[in-house]
Each structure stands twice: as structure tokens, then as C-alpha cells.
């Protein structure tokens, strides 16, 4: 396990924070202020270096653009000229023009090179920030030591087709990321990873203290530490899912309405179960306090917002409402790649497509059981031709074992000839299945958003999804007075949904409605909402700077 002297040295100090809180608010704030002052002085030199380096890189980049003839007639790069494209025409940044704010925005994302949906949000957020405030410096705190800036930005372009402005993006490398790995905490994982995030956040602030601190990975305790050390620094959070939710707590009780759902279903009985329930309740209280410290809170779905509102809302000091900012989905690309027309309808097959990583919470077993019931009990022509295709990535040995167990279940259910597994499929392969399939499936309980479901819709698939979370509340909803898919919970309900989806009288009409629904989740819509929420954060920073100048 990697470690560093600095990270180990700070562990005892972080353990004292709860004791200081109990000692009294004045002492608590005084100690935080002293530690914050220490970090500012420690990182002043690095800040000056980054500002100087950014200026040099900007000049080199401009010269390169001019020499290649890529700049506009005005001498500016066309891609960054219209910085106010996605705003509502109002300014919430303290009165400064959009091109004037030149502060440092720190994005806390220790796994920035992972290439998942969370990373798409990060890079889209940085691009939106660059477009709205071109002089802002975007710093990403990451633990990806094996890649440099050029390699990371190249992967961003290739993986997400997001082009950033290189001079104003910089990376600071954390040495403590292992503290937030689940493998580091085989017991008390929730509390362990959250405590670990304090260590990683201290590591980040030891590298550079930003003007604005943004958490895009869901480390609420990092937000709390920022407010403890730097009360004057505005903070923003983009929450993909709550670390703990009221549904999780209720799922421990086998008699509750959700007592059969989730990977911890019904585990709240007996002495051990009661202890776990108490531990989760205590953790939820602490999690609520640190999360409530954020000045601006964005969530990726109505479901996530509801749970964050329950947990953080009553304790928040900010009067800014918690907002839903849907993650950006490559809707436009799918519209170009996958045709939805009378001609393409002739090429569609009776394929039920489930695109998801082979993780326990994706509940592939539920879908297999439902499909088996569908093909065995349905007498419709659709059932005779139907095929289930499972497409997903395999991350490690645990996923490989899970796939093996699913193959065994397929044999037990006697549907081997009707089920296909495609592991680690390439994007072109996925696109081909999206063109061929008729139905998109999602079996996860309380999927916090459901990017895959949006991709189904953008490709014109009729969705059959779990009756919970983002797919139910935000995505598979009625559009223009008509349905775009079906909701289900039990194997029988899913089987019924498959029957309906494959037996539509006019499937093209539903496909076109689904594609229209997907337009609510475009990259452009994300940018508009992100800028709207970040403008008050910039305004808070401007207010702080103005106040400091008056004191001087």
C-alpha cells in the first residue's frame, strides 16, 4: 500500500476534529483558521508558479494557433470567443464581465482518468467553466500518477469528444488516494472511506488552496474540511448519488416496503443487523452535517435531489436551493450514428438489450429470471423470436466470477440458446447492438440517474426499466402525451413489460417519442444548468475579494 509521511502525520490531527467541535465553536473555528493560514502560506509559491506557467502556456498556445491559421480574424480562438452562449443573459458573478474573473477553481476528483460517466461530468463542467470564464484557472486534484497532462487531455478527447483549453487546465497529483479505496477498509467501509477522503482532501489543500472548491465525486467530508479550514472559500458539490440514503436504511428492515431491494436487503435483523443499522444512522447524521456545508449543491437526478434534500436540506445555511443538473449524455452522437426511421425499423430485431457493468447492484439475475418467464409463458410471436443480449465491462476477478455465475443461471433456466454475453464490447459494437435491438432494459433498483437508459432512448429503443430512481422519475416518462417505455419491479412485471414492448402496433412512433425525450439530457443542456449554478459561487468569491480589499 502506498503511503507518505505527510499523509500519515495528518491522521492523528484529523481525528481531533470531532473533539474540537465538542470543545466549543470558538476553539473549533480558531484551530481551523490557523490550519488554513498554514496551508495558504505553504502553497503560495506553487500558486505563483501555476499562474506564471499558465500565462506562458497561453502565449505559446496562441502563437501556435496563429502560425497554423486556426484563429479567427479578431485574433481570438473561435472556440472560446462566445463565452456567454449558455447563460440566461444574467450575471451572478458580482458584476464582473464574463471574461474578467481570473480565479482558481479546484476540482476534487481523485480518479479523473477513469473514463466513466462521473468523469464525463467533470470534463464537461471544466469545459463549461472555461467557456463562461476564459481567464479562470481549473485545477484538478487527481491520484492518477501514471499519466501526464497531455495523456489525460488526449483521453478526454478520444473517450468523450470533449476539447478543453489546455493552458488553463492543470493537474496536481495526490499521494494519498489509497485512503478512499474500498479495499483499504474491509470493515466499516462507509466511515473508513469518508475518513480517508479527509486525508486526501488535506493532501489536496497541501498542494494548493483554490479560490473555489468543487467536489465532483461525492466526497462530502472533503467539503466539510474545506469549510473548517477556509470558511470564506465558496464550495460547490455535484452529487451523483448519496453515500447513504433513507432507502438504504429502510432496506435493512425486511418488513419495510424496500426490504427486499438492494445488496443489503433485510440485513437489519439480529444483534449484528441492529448494530449495522445504528452505525448507518450515526453515519447518516455526520454525513448530513458535512454535506450541508456546501454553498451550492447540484444533483444528477430528481431521485438524488430528494434524498440529499432530506439529509442535507434541514441543516443547510445557504439559501440557494438544491438543483438538478442532469449529466451530459452523447445524445447528438447517437442521433447521428443510429437511424430511427421506417427504413431502419425493418432492420430491428426482437432483441432485448441490457448494457451495464457486471456489478451486483445491476441485478442481472432479475432480468434473466424475467426473460425466462417471458419466453416460457408468453404465447405471442414476439416471444418465439426474442433474444436477450447482455453487454458490459468486466473490471476484475469479482466481475469475472459474477459472469460465470450468470452463465450457470442461464443454463439452469434453460434459456442458453436465447441469451448472449458480450464482454468489454467496443463502442462500435455497442452502436451496432443499439441499431439492431428493439428494447433497452435496466434492472437496477434506485439507479441514481441512468445514462445507459438515456442512450437507449437516443437510439430509439423502447425501455423497460426498474420502477425506481432516475429511470422512473426523470427518463422513462410520458412525452407529448404518450409513453416512452415501461416500468417494472418483479420478474413477472418485467416479463409483462417485455411482452408489451415487443408487441407494439406502432413501435416507430414510440421510438421517435423516446428520442425526443432524450434531448432533455444533451451536453448543451448540462452546460446551461452548470453555468447557472456556478455563477453565484463566482459571486461569493468576488464578494470575499472585495471585502478583503476594503479591509486593506
Amino acid at each position: 500500500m502506498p503511503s507518505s509521511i505527510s499523509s500519515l502525520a495528518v491522521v492523528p490531527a484529523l481525528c481531533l476534529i470531532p473533539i474540537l467541535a465538542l470543545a466549543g465553536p470558538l476553539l473549533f473555528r480558531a484551530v481551523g483558521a490557523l490550519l488554513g493560514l498554514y496551508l495558504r502560506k505553504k502553497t503560495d509559491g506553487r500558486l505563483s508558479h501555476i499562474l506564471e506557467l499558465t500565462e506562458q502556456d497561453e502565449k505559446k498556445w496562441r502563437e501556435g494557433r496563429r502560425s497554423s491559421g486556426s484563429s479567427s480574424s479578431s485574433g481570438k480562438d473561435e472556440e472560446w470567443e462566445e463565452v456567454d452562449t449558455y447563460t440566461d443573459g444574467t450575471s451572478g458573478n458580482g458584476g464582473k464581465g464574463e471574461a474578467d474573473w481570473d480565479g482558481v477553481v479546484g476540482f476534487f476528483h481523485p480518479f479523473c482518468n477513469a473514463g466513466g460517466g462521473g468523469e464525463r461530468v467533470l470534463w464537461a463542467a471544466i469545459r463549461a467553466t472555461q467557456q463562461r470564464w476564459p481567464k479562470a484557472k481549473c485545477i484538478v486534484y487527481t491520484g492518477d500518477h501514471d499519466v501526464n497532462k497531455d495523456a489525460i487531455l488526449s483521453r478526454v478527447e478520444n473517450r468523450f469528444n470533449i476539447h478543453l483549453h489546455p493552458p488553463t487546465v492543470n493537474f496536481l497529483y495526490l499521494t494519498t488516494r489509497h485512503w478512499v479505496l474500498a479495499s483499504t477498509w474491509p470493515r466499516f467501509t462507509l466511515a473508513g472511506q469518508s475518513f480517508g477522503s479527509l486525508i486526501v482532501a488535506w493532501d489536496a489543500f497541501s498542494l494548493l488552496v483554490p479560490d473555489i472548491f468543487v467536489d465532483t465525486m461525492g466526497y462530502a467530508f472533503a467539503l466539510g474540511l474545506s469549510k473548517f479550514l477556509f470558511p470564506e472559500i465558496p464550495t460547490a458539490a455535484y452529487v451523483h448519488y448519496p453515500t447513504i440514503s433513507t432507502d438504504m436504511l429502510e432496506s435493512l428492515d425486511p418488513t419495510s416496503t424496500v426490504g427486499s431491494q438492494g445488496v443489503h436487503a433485510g440485513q437489519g435483523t439480529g444483534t449484528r443487523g441492529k448494530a449495522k443499522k445504528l452505525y448507518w444512522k450515526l453515519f447518516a447524521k455526520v454525513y448530513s452535517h458535512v454535506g450541508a456545508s456546501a454553498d451550492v449543491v447540484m444533483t444528477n437526478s430528481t431521485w438524488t435531489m430528494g434524498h440529499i434534500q432530506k439529509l442535507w436540506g434541514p441543516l443547510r445555511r445557504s439559501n440557494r436551493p438544491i438543483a438538478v443538473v442532469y449529466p451530459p449524455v452523447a445524445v447528438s452522437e447517437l442521433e447521428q450514428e443510429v437511424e430511427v426511421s421506417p427504413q431502419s425499423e425493418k432492420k430491428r430485431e426482437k432483441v432485448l438489450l441490457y448494457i451495464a457493468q457486471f456489478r451486483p447492484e445491476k441485478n442481472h439475475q432479475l432480468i434473466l429470471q424475467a426473460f425466462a418467464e417471458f419466453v416460457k409463458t408468453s404465447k405471442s410471436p414476439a416471444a418465439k423470436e426474442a433474444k436477450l443480449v447482455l453487454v458490459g465491462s468486466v473490471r476484475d476477478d469479482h466481475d469475472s466470477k459474477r459472469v460465470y455465475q450468470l452463465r450457470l443461471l442461464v443454463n439452469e433456466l434453460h434459456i442458453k440458446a436465447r441469451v448472449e454475453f458480450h464482454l468489454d464490447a467496443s463502442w462500435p459494437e455497442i452502436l451496432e447492438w443499439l441499431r439492431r435491438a428493439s428494447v433497452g432494459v435496466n434492472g437496477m433498483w434506485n439507479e441514481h440517474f441512468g445514462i445507459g437508459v438515456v442512450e437507449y432512448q437516443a437510439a430509439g429503443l423502447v425501455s423497460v426499466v426498474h420502477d425506481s430512481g432516475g429511470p422512473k422519475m426523470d427518463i422513462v416518462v410520458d412525452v407529448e402525451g404518450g409513453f416512452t417505455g415501461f416500468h417494472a419491479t418483479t420478474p413477472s412485471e418485467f416479463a409483462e413489460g417485455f411482452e408489451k414492448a415487443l408487441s407494439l402496433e406502432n413501435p416507430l412512433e414510440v421510438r421517435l417519442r423516446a428520442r425526443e425525450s432524450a434531448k432533455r439530457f444533451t451536453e448543451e443542456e448540462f452546460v446551461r444548468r452548470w453555468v447557472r449554478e456556478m455563477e453565484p459561487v463566482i459571486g461569493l468569491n468576488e464578494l470575499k475579494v472585495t471585502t478583503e480589499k476594503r479591509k486593506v
Side-chain angles (χ1 to χ4, degrees):
M1 179 191 298
S3 66
S4 65
I5 294 176
S6 60
S7 67
L8 291 175
V10 78
V11 172
L14 292 174
C15 290
L16 292 174
I17 291 178
I19 299 174
L20 290 171
L22 293 173
L26 290 177
L27 179 60
F28 182 76
R29 287 196 292 267
V31 172
L34 286 174
L35 291 173
L37 182 62
Y38 159 74
L39 291 172
R40 284 189 182 280
K41 290 184 177 296
K42 178 183 177 181
T43 62
D44 274 348
R46 180 174 282 111
L47 174 60
S48 299
H49 175 70
I50 288 176
L51 295 177
E52 183 180 337
L53 186 65
T54 300
E55 186 176 350
Q56 292 174 359
D57 289 348
E58 187 71 50
K59 288 181 180 179
K60 291 179 183 178
W61 190 83
R62 294 292 181 190
E63 290 171 0
R65 297 286 290 182
R66 281 196 292 268
S67 62
S68 64
S70 300
S71 59
S72 66
S73 58
S74 64
K76 295 182 179 180
D77 175 28
E78 294 175 358
E79 186 175 355
W80 306 104
E81 193 168 7
E82 296 298 328
V83 293
D84 205 24
T85 302
Y86 300 109
T87 67
D88 297 325
T90 58
S91 176
N93 60 351
K96 271 199 171 186
E98 65 274 358
D100 291 338
W101 191 78
D102 57 357
V104 176
V105 185
F107 290 87
F108 190 65
H109 206 105
F111 298 87
C112 78
N113 203 43
E119 287 64 57
R120 178 185 282 276
V121 168
L122 168 68
W123 303 122
I126 290 178
R127 176 178 168 81
T129 302
Q130 288 183 324
Q131 289 181 316
R132 182 65 175 85
W133 299 281
K135 291 184 179 180
K137 286 78 180 174
C138 297
I139 304 296
V140 181
Y141 301 103
T142 180
D144 296 300
H145 286 264
D146 56 333
V147 284
N148 60 19
K149 173 178 174 177
D150 290 340
I152 293 175
L153 296 185
S154 176
R155 177 172 166 82
V156 172
E157 291 182 11
N158 295 332
R159 176 71 178 84
F160 302 116
N161 194 29
I162 294 176
H163 299 265
L164 301 175
H165 186 54
T168 56
V169 182
N170 284 286
F171 297 86
L172 294 178
Y173 292 89
L174 306 163
T175 60
T176 54
R177 190 175 72 177
H178 61 283
W179 285 94
V180 295
L181 295 175
S183 57
T184 304
W185 308 95
R187 297 288 184 271
F188 299 101
T189 308
L190 284 178
Q193 287 184 293
S194 297
F195 177 74
S197 70
L198 289 173
I199 299 173
V200 182
W202 176 273
D203 188 5
F205 295 132
S206 297
L207 294 171
L208 184 72
V209 178
D211 295 311
I212 292 171
F213 183 68
V214 183
D215 167 49
T216 49
M217 276 203 74
Y219 292 120
F221 283 73
L223 296 165
L225 182 63
S226 179
K227 281 300 180 186
F228 170 64
L229 299 170
F230 319 106
E232 75 285 359
I233 288 183
T235 56
Y238 187 92
V239 185
H240 295 273
Y241 56 89
T243 303
I244 193 166
S245 68
T246 52
D247 281 354
M248 284 176 62
L249 290 167
E250 290 177 13
S251 72
L252 293 176
D253 183 358
T255 63
S256 73
T257 55
V258 294
S260 62
Q261 304 288 349
V263 294
H264 300 283
Q267 294 183 8
T269 58
T271 303
R272 185 174 180 179
K274 290 178 180 178
K276 184 169 189 171
K277 198 169 185 177
L278 176 62
Y279 157 51
W280 276 15
K281 285 184 176 180
L282 290 173
F283 176 81
K285 288 185 178 181
V286 181
Y287 173 70
S288 298
H289 276 278
V290 293
S293 68
D295 295 300
V296 168
V297 179
M298 294 168 268
T299 62
N300 66 342
S301 70
T302 302
W303 180 86
T304 304
M305 183 191 69
H307 284 278
I308 291 298
Q309 182 63 47
K310 284 182 182 178
L311 293 164
W312 298 5
L315 301 171
R316 293 190 72 214
R317 295 179 180 176
S318 172
N319 57 7
R320 181 86 182 171
I322 296 173
V324 175
V325 179
Y326 294 126
V329 184
V331 173
S332 300
E333 180 183 353
L334 285 165
E335 287 179 337
Q336 294 173 1
E337 293 287 347
V338 182
E339 182 183 358
V340 180
S341 67
Q343 291 73 28
S344 65
E345 192 63 30
K346 299 174 183 177
K347 302 175 184 177
R348 296 275 183 183
E349 303 173 22
K350 301 297 184 182
V351 169
L352 302 163
L353 181 64
Y354 190 10
I355 303 176
Q357 287 182 332
F358 289 97
R359 306 202 312 259
E361 61 269 24
K362 295 302 181 181
N363 211 350
H364 287 84
Q365 294 95 326
L366 170 64
I367 301 305
L368 288 172
Q369 292 164 355
F371 182 70
E373 181 175 337
F374 167 57
V375 297
K376 291 175 182 177
T377 60
S378 176
K379 298 179 181 180
S380 68
K384 296 178 181 178
E385 304 172 26
K387 180 192 298 184
L388 175 64
V389 176
L390 305 178
V391 178
S393 59
V394 177
R395 302 166 299 172
D396 49 34
D397 289 341
H398 294 292
D399 286 356
S400 296
K401 291 178 181 177
R402 202 165 291 114
V403 172
Y404 175 71
Q405 292 168 349
L406 291 173
R407 291 184 187 275
L408 290 178
L409 179 59
V410 167
N411 286 331
E412 292 173 9
L413 294 171
H414 306 292
I415 51 175
K416 184 178 179 180
R418 313 283 290 273
V419 178
E420 293 184 18
F421 288 82
H422 293 271
L423 312 182
D424 297 317
S426 65
W427 181 239
E429 290 177 289
I430 292 174
L431 285 174
E432 185 57 31
W433 279 115
L434 288 171
R435 295 186 189 103
R436 293 172 58 183
S438 294
V439 177
V441 182
N442 182 286
M444 180 177 171
W445 173 64
N446 275 348
E447 176 91 76
H448 45 279
F449 177 64
I451 287 179
V453 180
V454 177
E455 291 175 341
Y456 292 157
Q457 290 192 331
L461 274 64
V462 180
S463 300
V464 181
V465 300
H466 200 282
D467 192 26
S468 64
K472 172 188 178 180
M473 302 174 73
D474 292 313
I475 305 173
V476 184
V477 297
D478 289 355
V479 172
E480 298 176 352
F483 65 91
T484 58
F486 304 94
H487 305 128
T489 302
T490 65
S492 296
E493 290 174 355
F494 269 98
E496 184 180 347
F498 298 160
E499 172 79 32
K500 292 178 179 178
L502 290 174
S503 305
L504 293 170
E505 291 185 11
N506 189 352
L508 180 59
E509 180 182 322
V510 182
R511 299 191 198 287
L512 291 172
R513 234 180 357 245
R515 171 162 281 189
E516 187 64 29
S517 172
K519 292 180 180 178
R520 296 174 293 133
F521 311 107
T522 62
E523 293 168 330
E524 292 78 12
E525 181 63 17
F526 169 82
V527 170
R528 188 185 69 79
R529 293 190 182 208
W530 174 268
V531 169
R532 183 187 65 197
E533 295 304 316
M534 284 298 290
E535 282 188 331
V537 184
I538 303 296
L540 287 171
N541 175 257
E542 283 297 299
L543 181 62
K544 176 183 79 72
V545 172
T546 302
T547 303
E548 289 176 351
K549 285 181 178 178
R550 286 175 180 171
K551 287 181 180 179
V552 174

